[in-house]
Amino acid sequence: DLHSFPTRRSSDLHIGERVPQLACRGQSSTGRLPFHPSPGRVLPGRCISIEDGSLDSIPGSHVICRVLLEQGARVIFGYPGGAIMPFYHALPEYPDLRHVLVRHEQSAAHAADGWARATGMPGVCVATSGPGATNLVTGLATAMMDGVPLVAITGQVPRSVMGRDAFQETDIVGIALPITKHCVLVEEAEQLAPALRQAFAVAREGRPGPVLVDIPKDLQNERMAYQPPSPERRKAPPFPDEPQFALAARQIGRAHV
C-alpha cells in the first residue's frame, strides 16, 4: 500500500509504469507505481513520526515534514511538480501527514482555506515553482481578504540557476507580496526550520492571513541538522484593560457621527 508521486501530470502516468527512483523505504525493487492516484485521494505515508526527531543530519525535505508535524499540521493539500519533488519523496515516510492530491494548484489553496475555516488551524497547501506557484494566487488573495490562516509552501528552482531565467523560474515572492501577510525565500539551510515556524506564527497571530515560504529544490536535498523547537513560546500581546476598551468605544462612536 505504498504510493509514488509522479514528476509529470498524473494524467500522463499509467498503472505499472516504471518510475525513476524509489519514493520511500521498503518499496518494491521493481520501482513500479502500484496504482494511478486519483484527484482528492488521501495519500498515506509510513516509517517516521515526529517522536523520531533527532539532531542527526537529514535532508531539508524531511525538515519540512517535521516542522509541519510539530506545528500541528495533519492534512495538507497539494500537487507535485519538479521543484517540490524532494518534499514529495520524503512525505510517504511521515504517516501523521495526510496529503490530499488535487487536480489543480488553485484547488489546493482553496481547500487549505476551507480546512482553516472549518478547524481554526492554519491550512497548508503545496505547489511547485513557476505555474504551480502562480496558480495559488487566487486562493492566497481570498485568504488575505477574509483573514484566514494559511501557509503555502512552494518549490523553487535550484539556487545555482536562480535569476538566470531557468525553466519554470518565477518570482513568486514578488508576486504574492501584496496578497500575503508575509513572504520569504529560504536561501540557507539554517533558515529553513525557523522560516517555516515563523510562517505558522505569523499566519495565526493578530488578524490571521496567508504566508508563503519559497524553498529552492537543492535546499530540499541538502542535509542539515534538525533542532526541535524550544519550549519557549512567543509572548502574547498584552490584553487591553477596561479604560482602553472604553476609550476605543468612545472613539468608534464619534467616528460614526
Side-chain angles (χ1 to χ4, degrees):
D1 190 26
L2 302 177
H3 303 76
S4 299
F5 297 90
T7 56
R8 295 168 291 165
R9 293 285 175 178
S10 58
S11 58
D12 296 332
L13 197 66
H14 304 291
I15 298 174
E17 182 177 347
R18 296 188 67 83
V19 292
Q21 64 185 71
L22 301 184
C24 66
R25 299 188 202 128
Q27 184 173 344
S28 168
S29 60
T30 61
R32 294 186 180 277
L33 190 66
F35 79 110
H36 188 285
S38 302
R41 182 182 178 89
V42 175
L43 303 181
R46 66 191 300 271
C47 305
I48 296 177
S49 64
I50 189 64
E51 290 76 13
D52 173 32
S54 68
L55 294 179
D56 292 339
S57 176
I58 58 175
S61 56
H62 288 255
V63 172
I64 299 171
C65 293
R66 295 189 183 200
V67 174
L68 287 175
L69 288 172
E70 78 183 33
Q71 294 298 316
R74 291 298 179 267
V75 179
I76 60 177
F77 306 87
Y79 196 96
I84 197 67
M85 283 310 297
F87 167 75
Y88 273 95
H89 284 155
L91 190 58
E93 300 189 31
Y94 294 83
D96 293 331
L97 280 176
R98 301 173 60 200
H99 179 273
V100 179
L101 178 66
V102 297
R103 178 59 74 182
H104 189 279
E105 292 87 356
Q106 184 175 343
S107 300
H110 289 309
D113 178 286
W115 174 266
R117 294 173 194 252
T119 65
M121 299 286 291
V124 179
C125 56
V126 181
T128 189
S129 63
T134 58
N135 283 341
L136 298 176
V137 167
T138 300
L140 294 175
T142 299
M144 185 67 174
M145 290 187 287
D146 291 351
V148 177
L150 189 151
V151 175
I153 298 173
T154 55
Q156 185 55 272
V157 299
R159 289 167 290 179
S160 60
V161 296
M162 287 177 61
R164 300 186 180 185
D165 196 25
F167 176 67
Q168 290 193 342
E169 179 187 6
T170 301
D171 180 14
I172 188 59
V173 170
I175 292 171
L177 193 61
I179 53 170
T180 56
K181 288 183 69 178
H182 178 63
C183 284
V184 61
L185 169 65
V186 182
E187 299 184 78
E188 300 295 338
E190 60 270 17
Q191 298 174 354
L192 181 56
L196 289 167
R197 291 170 183 146
Q198 182 187 33
F200 278 90
V202 172
R204 292 186 184 105
E205 290 178 354
R207 185 177 189 271
V211 177
L212 185 139
V213 183
D214 201 28
I215 307 173
K217 183 176 183 179
D218 62 314
L219 190 60
Q220 297 172 51
N221 287 320
E222 183 177 333
R223 300 191 71 85
M224 60 191 74
Y226 168 76
Q227 175 66 54
S230 63
E232 298 180 0
R233 296 187 177 184
R234 287 189 168 204
K235 293 182 179 180
F239 194 76
D241 56 21
E242 200 64 36
Q244 290 177 310
F245 274 120
L247 175 61
R250 289 195 298 272
Q251 291 176 337
I252 292 174
R254 286 197 297 267
H256 286 277
V257 175

